[in-house]
Amino acid sequence: MKKRILVTGGAGFLGSHLCERLLKEGNDVICLDNFFTGDKKNIEHLMDNKYFELVRHDVSEPISLEVDEIYNLACPASPPHYQFDPVQTTITSVMGAINMLDIARRTKAKILQASTSEVYGDPEIHPQPESYKGSVSTTGIRACYDEGKRCAETLFFDYYRQYGVDIKVVRIFNTYGSNMNPYDGRVVSNFIVQAIKGEDITIYGDGMQTRSFCYVDDLVDSMIRMMNSRDGFTGPVNVGNPGEFTMLELAQKVISLTGSNSKIIHLPLPQDDPMQRQPDITLAKKELNWEPHVSLEEGLKKTIEYFKEVI
Ligand code: NAD
Ligand code: UDP
């Protein structure tokens, strides 16, 4: 029998890829989104599929749905977007988690939370294993997102212990690919759009801070494997590509792959910007038999093609 699967944030970057994959695998998919950062264009090609339904709804408000599985992704993910209305960002994470966990509790659905490497804050341990408890500011400009996501993890584990809800938690590291909003301010989209348009490439700070970038297809694969992982395996589990690059290296790669004559300029580093980030994926390899396969160069080439079409 077809599984009925709810994807919150399904019109966003990761959610739209997930909806597509789940439909391809023969499931009945409900996409719930309030279109804050998502776009109908990302899911337009799924609209004719009779097993795809779209619900315009804010996840921070209760809703009653009958489902077998829930992927909870609804939340703005880029710093400019989650800092636009920081109070709403925390509400989305916390109330969204409660509302979705309540559906899971009532319907006995399995529920996966899209958590983030931001729970590690500006990490003092490198690379970051799941056991690292993090170094997060409660008062800075990233706290609305970081602490919202940390509280959502807490709620997931309390619903698991207190009500026996079947939970799965993935901590996603920086991911990129098609369907990213070209103007959402994240580094990969910014650099590619700037390079294609021949505009200055904006590096914040000296560009020596690092991130580890995972291509979207690899990431979606890890989420589905996590949902289908053995009973009792809750995570949290890191998912991301351990290949680590400075922002300067990323800018140079984008310039060379686009053949752009853009120049690099330096702008101030935003407050609390983490200096380094690399996932330890030992647990994902063991429990999910998963590791990423797409290299940064290969993934960037595909993403550049996508942005050339849409901008
Ligand atoms: P995105 O901004 O493209 O997608 C988020 C989606 O959630 C959008 O469609 C948006 O409209 C929707 N949304 C936001 N607030 C909502 C609300 N209150 N009610 C209903 N829908 C709402 O971002 P993304 O990169 O696809 O991220 C998806 C999830 O994965 C987020 O929870 C994010 O925190 C997590 N994540 C992403 C990354 C990454 O690198 N892409 C890394 C770590 C974690
Ligand atoms: N960044 C940058 N130029 C940009 C956008 C971002 O140098 O135009 C930097 C940013 O300061 C951070 C890194 O790139 O150090 C990753 O930023 P992003 O917003 O993509 O993700 P996050 O900081 O949430 O990991």
Side-chain angles (χ1 to χ4, degrees), residues 3 34 39 46 59 73 161 172 184 193 197 205 208-209 219 228 238 247 271 284 289 299:
K3 276 190 287 190
N34 72 346
D39 196 322
L46 308 176
V59 82
L73 276 68
R161 282 185 291 258
I172 304 169
D184 82 357
V193 171
K197 291 185 165 177
M208 295 314 287
Q209 71 271 40
L219 202 282
N228 297 320
N238 289 338
M247 294 312 99
Q271 186 198 343
N289 191 23

Side-chain angles (χ1 to χ4, degrees), residues 13-15 17-18 21 71 73 112-117 170-178 186 212-227 237-242 279 281 284 288 290-294:
F13 160 49
L14 292 179
H17 284 275
L18 186 59
R21 259 289 291 275
Y71 288 84
L73 276 68
L112 179 145
Q113 169 68 357
S115 190
T116 166
S117 53
V170 288
R171 290 181 177 159
I172 304 169
F173 284 64
N174 299 62
T175 302
Y176 67 98
S178 59
R186 285 187 264 196
S212 303
F213 298 102
C214 188
Y215 187 63
V216 61
D217 292 354
D218 281 332
L219 202 282
V220 166
D221 188 41
S222 77
M223 292 177 90
I224 293 174
R225 280 173 189 250
M226 181 56 174
M227 184 61 100
V237 59
N238 289 338
V239 287
N241 191 322
I281 60 164
L288 312 180
W290 174 87
E291 62 183 316
H293 296 291
V294 182

Side-chain angles (χ1 to χ4, degrees), residues 120-135:
Y120 302 124
D122 190 4
E124 300 118 327
I125 298 214
H126 197 72
Q128 294 80 54
E130 290 82 353
S131 56
Y132 176 50
K133 293 197 173 66
S135 166

Side-chain angles (χ1 to χ4, degrees), residues 77-80 82 116-118 142 145 174 180 184-191 194 201-205 207 209-211 213 247-248 250 267-270 273-275 277:
S78 89
Y82 70 64
T116 166
S117 53
E118 288 287 323
R142 295 174 83 97
Y145 181 75
N174 299 62
M180 281 186 104
D184 82 357
R186 285 187 264 196
V187 70
V188 174
S189 41
N190 271 10
F191 285 2
Q194 289 161 346
I201 307 263
T202 55
I203 288 189
Y204 302 160
Q209 71 271 40
T210 67
R211 294 294 186 274
F213 298 102
M247 294 312 99
L248 198 56
L250 178 70
L267 297 178
L269 188 68
D273 201 287
M275 286 316 294
R277 210 184 267 153

Side-chain angles (χ1 to χ4, degrees), residues 45-108:
H45 61 298
L46 308 176
M47 297 287 201
D48 288 340
N49 188 323
K50 65 180 175 187
Y51 295 109
F52 181 74
E53 285 166 84
L54 176 61
V55 180
R56 181 188 282 264
H57 181 77
D58 186 323
V59 82
S60 62
E61 298 292 334
I63 185 168
S64 186
L65 293 165
E66 306 303 314
V67 289
D68 303 306
E69 290 178 358
I70 305 169
Y71 288 84
N72 187 36
L73 276 68
C75 186
S78 89
H81 280 149
Y82 70 64
Q83 288 161 15
F84 172 75
D85 185 351
V87 173
Q88 183 56 41
T89 298
T90 306
I91 291 172
T92 294
S93 268
V94 174
M95 293 310 299
I98 291 173
N99 291 328
M100 294 306 111
L101 283 161
D102 281 341
I103 295 181
R105 185 182 172 197
R106 185 176 54 78
T107 61
K108 303 213 177 329

